[in-house]
Amino acid sequence: MNRRKLLALAGAASFAPGLQAHAAAPTNATAAQDAYLYALPLIEMATTRARMLKAPGAAINKLDHTRTLADHTSRRVTTPNNDTLYSWTFLDLTWGPATLTIPPMGERYYSVAVMDMFTNNNVVLGTRTIGGEGGTFTLVGPGQVASGPNPTRIATPHAWLLLRVLTDGGEDLAAAHKAQDGFQLKGPTAAPVPTYATRDAAPDAYFASARALLASDPAPPSDLRLLRRTAPFLGAGPFDPAVAADGVEEARLITMFAKGRQTFTGGWAYPRPNLGDYGQDYLYRAIVALQGLGALPVAEAMYMKAAGDDGAGTFIGDGLYRLSLPARLPLDGFWSLSMYEATKDGQFFFTDNPLGRYTIGDRTRGLKRNADGSLDIWIGRTDPGGERSANWLPAPKAGPFAMYLRAYLPRAELLDGRFRLPPVVKA
């Protein structure tokens, strides 16, 4: 691929509002590109489901609990958090609804997100939406009769249920485990899960799996325009393998340039308002599926990425960095700053370090605050020494890294941009 085309694709990743949504007569390669990106969330969901179902005792329509906080060995889902314990299941509502019982949670933060196979959050049941008293909810698939307590409609027959329960770790883990055990899910017996291609598969295998996934979990009518344009790849076909290969190559390059899709304001990229419920923003949906699968909607949590040395989200320096935060951030939940090593395929995972510290947040023990309550966080590959050590967030020993700040239950001034985070600066 020549340099001019490469730069054009970088520009597409930076500025395109959707998958060529207004192109009058796209080429077949463009249609293949758009088809690849449209199907990517489905492929990533199926890949994640297959990976998670390999865990001992895991099954469809059965809650599985993670009993420890994520660390550098956690590689099942990109950009994990180190604040909450996860419980999860993949739902199959083909044969009928499932019933979810949420126990009384009191003041402990929790959220139950149910994402359809297109990665939209159909519902978030938790501290923000139903409070700490709990309740029973009926998860109803498309076309099913909405009977049972608190019927909650899910857009596709298959979905991902992801529960987060806040814990400080250590002595709090036993209480957090008890809270997890109070969640109960009852659903119909599910059929075996087919095997699907991954995002790196050859185009014919990729599109065959995309068609199978769309048959299992049909797209909404609002996507019909794109599906008609991409019918050779996502519909009945046929398509030219060489043209498909060109389009898939272009799509993969666009995901490589996904960092260009982010706009940094004052040193941070802020999430779009449609994070977690994407509508027809298919390109943004594909990028999040690759870089942050399972992201909550912004009303629940905001994920802010630091600009880095390149101004596009990547740090490469060996020196020391500093983030100075005010005594309080405008939120009703909690916040944390997470450190990730960046992989070549654009994903992010915690990095091994001598402190076993993957985040710093408002609940981190032993931090040293300034006289006015503000907090200086020191970031680097080596211990900064002295009093700074208490506030050290270790970076990888080598290689690029990225940082995300999570703010749970953000207030209006953070949601609407009246409040902005201070930048990370070189110390």
Side-chain angles (χ1 to χ4, degrees), residues 38 42 45 91 93-94 114-123 138-144 151-160 213-223 276-278 285:
Y38 179 86
L42 288 161
M45 287 283 275
L91 299 169
L93 305 177
T94 305
V114 183
M115 290 159 282
D116 63 33
M117 288 297 284
F118 295 88
T119 68
N120 294 303
N121 285 265
N122 293 171
V123 66
T138 306
L139 307 178
V140 184
Q144 296 175 354
T152 304
R153 183 71 65 181
I154 309 304
T156 55
H158 304 88
W160 186 14
L213 286 162
L214 284 167
S216 177
D217 292 280
S222 55
D223 291 351
D277 191 8
Y278 304 95
R285 185 179 72 182

Side-chain angles (χ1 to χ4, degrees), residues 74-394:
S74 304
R75 300 273 161 155
R76 293 195 297 185
V77 179
T78 184
T79 55
N81 80 54
N82 187 246
D83 303 301
T84 66
L85 297 178
Y86 288 103
S87 300
W88 63 272
T89 190
F90 276 87
L91 299 169
D92 184 348
L93 305 177
T94 305
W95 304 106
T99 302
L100 172 68
T101 299
I102 298 175
M105 294 291 288
E107 297 300 317
R108 185 184 295 270
Y109 171 85
Y110 74 100
S111 65
V112 182
V114 183
M115 290 159 282
D116 63 33
M117 288 297 284
F118 295 88
T119 68
N120 294 303
N121 285 265
N122 293 171
V123 66
V124 179
L125 305 170
T127 301
R128 175 179 61 89
T129 54
I130 68 170
E133 297 181 3
T136 299
F137 302 84
T138 306
L139 307 178
V140 184
Q144 296 175 354
V145 176
S147 60
N150 297 313
T152 304
R153 183 71 65 181
I154 309 304
T156 55
H158 304 88
W160 186 14
L161 185 154
L162 191 57
L163 162 65
R164 297 167 172 89
V165 172
L166 180 65
T167 180
D168 294 337
E171 296 178 355
D172 183 57
L173 278 176
H177 293 167
K178 184 177 180 180
Q180 285 181 297
D181 292 337
F183 289 82
Q184 301 295 322
L185 180 71
K186 296 181 180 179
T189 301
V193 178
T195 300
Y196 298 100
T198 66
R199 65 175 178 270
D200 297 322
D204 57 344
Y206 182 93
F207 289 128
S209 287
R211 290 192 294 272
L213 286 162
L214 284 167
S216 177
D217 292 280
S222 55
D223 291 351
L224 187 56
R225 182 182 182 188
L226 181 134
L227 292 173
R228 284 172 173 163
R229 290 197 301 100
T230 58
F233 307 97
L234 299 179
F239 60 81
D240 183 329
V243 171
D246 285 345
V248 168
E249 181 187 9
E250 292 175 0
R252 288 172 175 161
L253 284 169
I254 285 175
T255 63
M256 286 175 58
F257 284 101
K259 61 185 180 182
R261 286 275 292 172
Q262 296 173 304
T263 299
F264 289 85
T265 302
W268 294 88
Y270 293 84
R272 296 184 180 190
N274 61 333
L275 177 67
D277 191 8
Y278 304 95
Q280 279 67 58
D281 195 348
Y282 308 124
L283 181 52
Y284 185 44
R285 185 179 72 182
I287 290 169
V288 175
L290 182 62
Q291 294 191 347
L293 187 69
L296 289 164
V298 293
E300 191 71 26
M302 290 182 66
Y303 310 89
M304 282 75 72
K305 187 178 185 181
D309 298 319
D310 61 357
T314 302
F315 292 84
I316 57 174
D318 294 330
L320 192 63
Y321 300 86
R322 185 185 77 245
L323 172 62
S324 298
L325 293 175
R328 291 187 59 83
L329 298 181
L331 48 87
D332 293 320
F334 56 96
W335 67 266
S336 64
L337 177 70
S338 297
M339 168 64 66
Y340 297 103
E341 58 184 61
T343 66
K344 292 182 179 179
D345 61 354
Q347 298 194 307
F348 302 95
F349 299 104
F350 290 134
T351 189
D352 194 13
N353 65 84
L355 296 184
R357 174 182 281 178
Y358 310 102
T359 64
I360 281 182
D362 56 3
R363 297 169 299 109
T364 302
R365 297 182 179 90
L367 296 181
K368 294 186 180 297
R369 290 185 174 268
N370 301 318
D372 61 357
S374 62
L375 182 66
D376 293 324
I377 299 174
W378 302 96
I379 301 143
R381 303 185 193 277
T382 57
D383 189 334
E387 291 190 353
R388 295 178 175 181
S389 295
N391 296 1
W392 176 37
L393 181 61

